[in-house]
Amino acid sequence: KAVHSHGSGDIAGIKSVLLEMTTDTGITGWGEASPWPVFTGTAEGNARALHVHLRPHLIGQDPVLVEKHLFMADQVVVDCPEAKAALETALLEITGQIYGLPIAELVGGRHRDKIPLSFSVANPDFEKDLEDIDAMYQDGVRILKLKTGFKDHAFDLMRLEKLREKYGETLSLRADYNQGLAAYDALRHVRDLEAFDLAFIEQPVKRHERDVLAAITKAIDTPVMADESVFNPREAMQAVQMGLCDVITLKIMKAGGIRRALEVAAIARTAGIETYGGCMFETGIAHAAGTHLVAALPDLKLGCEFYMSTYYIAEDILTDPFPVRDGYVHVPTEPGLGVTVNREILEKYTLETLS
């Protein structure tokens, strides 16, 4: 529906790899790999990882042995966490249909039935964003995350001022730089944002500038969230050891699936680090998987950002709308993912099929 700008680049659409996995008894599971080249990887690379390298190891295997297959994937293909997330989602959906359970129940149990929804304010045309925000506010959305650092500092401050002036404390506001600040003066910029009582400031500096991120975390009162700097359990351990951040974004596309993201959450929990339900540029398939991840977390205070299906893309590939109502994502209760792919719509947007 619009261009979304970030500190690391602009994006105006979704380019995903969808995995359809079918058992010999006719049960179908869906998964999605949703990469972003400047962040995680490419759609082309993940498609080949699934089709060329992982597929031969899965033919004839028991789909219920999910952890066995994930271990295999790590041995066969380096990186490509989005492909591994798609693989895991499809396996879990099949397992859920076999046992009649939603995915959240398979990975630890449901802790909540609905999750507060955050929308990312990222349109370079802020007046258009204001119109969309008004509509979402009427829908019950009360969390906004401003994408910052893609224009100038004055633009970021102006938007925060306008939103606080118009909505006061009825909104929870956050800021996300997507690595957009130069390390040498990042602290000066983020300190200016503290006046707006933000829930967190996300990833102000580059992924590899972890020492700088840790120094910012120690220097300001506003909680600092690591996104690009923490992908997997190993990096979560490093984050704890160096006092990197106060919050970690959980994304199945970074971690390599729901189970690995839950491992990141467990490490964060031991150190008193909060977590947040993040996403890439996804369809309702990956959003549903992320929803089951967040539903299975025992502690969650900051909500999730699974808004793409409802407020960003012109048309999703699901038969029924992704379950957003009254400012919340409602956790599906049906077996597996709990959403159904509309094959007619999928065919309309398919660029290539590997089979």
Side-chain angles (χ1 to χ4, degrees):
K1 295 178 181 178
V3 172
H4 270 202
S5 293
H6 306 70
S8 51
D10 294 350
I11 194 161
I14 293 173
K15 189 175 183 180
S16 288
V17 179
L18 300 184
L19 171 64
E20 181 181 9
M21 182 183 293
T22 305
T23 70
D24 56 358
T25 58
I27 300 174
T28 295
W30 290 91
E32 178 176 354
S34 223
W36 186 16
V38 301
F39 191 154
T40 53
T42 66
E44 296 80 4
N46 278 275
R48 268 56 189 183
L50 285 164
H51 185 66
V52 176
H53 300 288
L54 299 180
R55 182 174 177 269
H57 294 273
L58 296 163
I59 302 300
Q61 297 297 309
D62 185 347
V64 172
L65 303 177
V66 179
E67 189 63 40
K68 173 185 175 182
H69 300 316
L70 294 180
F71 181 81
M72 172 276 298
D74 283 337
Q75 305 309 303
V76 171
V77 177
V78 69
D79 296 329
C80 295
E82 309 95 322
K84 294 167 186 176
L87 170 62
E88 182 207 47
T89 300
L91 291 168
L92 286 173
E93 181 170 32
I94 289 171
T95 303
Q97 291 179 64
I98 291 172
Y99 293 107
L101 292 171
I103 287 177
E105 307 295 350
L106 297 174
V107 295
R110 175 194 307 262
H111 285 268
R112 57 192 55 80
D113 296 318
K114 62 182 184 178
I115 308 154
L117 177 66
S118 171
F119 176 77
S120 292
V121 180
N123 195 329
D125 181 356
F126 184 52
E127 293 305 316
K128 179 62 172 66
D129 253 341
L130 285 175
E131 295 175 11
D132 293 339
I133 290 166
D134 279 340
M136 283 181 278
Y137 193 85
Q138 296 303 314
D139 287 348
V141 174
R142 293 295 183 271
I143 306 174
L144 295 179
K145 185 169 77 171
L146 271 73
K147 295 294 185 176
T148 48
F150 64 83
K151 209 169 180 182
D152 56 51
H153 191 47
F155 181 68
D156 295 337
L157 296 177
M158 176 274 292
R159 291 185 297 157
L160 287 166
E161 287 171 358
K162 283 196 173 183
L163 290 173
R164 271 289 177 243
E165 180 181 333
K166 182 169 185 177
Y167 296 102
E169 297 299 323
T170 65
L171 285 179
S172 174
L173 293 180
R174 299 97 186 265
D176 181 6
Y177 280 97
N178 285 108
Q179 313 178 78
L181 293 180
Y184 80 95
D185 69 346
L187 182 56
R188 177 170 61 88
H189 282 78
V190 299
R191 274 181 171 153
D192 287 344
L193 271 55
E194 293 214 84
F196 299 102
D197 189 26
L198 303 181
F200 58 72
I201 297 172
E202 184 175 353
Q203 197 68 43
V205 294
K206 299 292 187 292
R207 164 175 162 76
H208 65 275
E209 293 170 340
R210 291 184 173 89
D211 288 337
V212 179
L213 188 59
I216 292 172
T217 298
K218 292 177 176 64
I220 66 174
D221 293 329
T222 302
V224 172
M225 182 155 76
D227 183 9
E228 288 89 340
S229 288
V230 178
F231 271 46
N232 50 47
R234 182 184 65 257
E235 292 180 350
M237 283 291 294
Q238 293 169 349
V240 170
Q241 290 164 356
M242 66 188 303
L244 184 71
C245 56
D246 305 294
V247 189
I248 293 175
T249 315
L250 301 178
K251 295 181 179 179
I252 64 171
M253 299 303 165
K254 292 192 306 178
I258 295 171
R259 296 156 79 97
R260 297 295 175 264
L262 287 171
E263 291 173 8
V264 172
I267 293 167
R269 191 176 307 117
T270 62
I273 296 175
E274 184 57 48
T275 55
Y276 170 75
C279 69
M280 301 296 283
F281 291 89
E282 304 169 353
T283 75
I285 295 174
H287 271 9
T291 298
H292 286 288
L293 159 65
V294 175
L297 293 171
D299 45 358
L300 182 81
K301 300 179 179 67
L302 295 170
C304 70
E305 58 187 32
F306 308 134
Y307 69 87
M308 299 284 174
S309 292
T310 309
Y311 294 117
Y312 178 66
I313 59 178
E315 186 175 33
D316 199 5
I317 59 171
L318 301 182
T319 299
D320 297 314
F322 184 73
V324 170
R325 298 186 302 275
D326 304 320
Y328 289 84
V329 174
H330 292 257
V331 182
T333 57
E334 296 81 5
L337 280 172
V339 297
T340 304
V341 173
N342 184 316
R343 291 183 180 274
E344 183 177 341
I345 298 175
L346 175 61
E347 180 64 27
K348 181 166 66 170
Y349 293 107
T350 297
L351 299 176
E352 182 182 2
T353 301
L354 302 175
S355 62

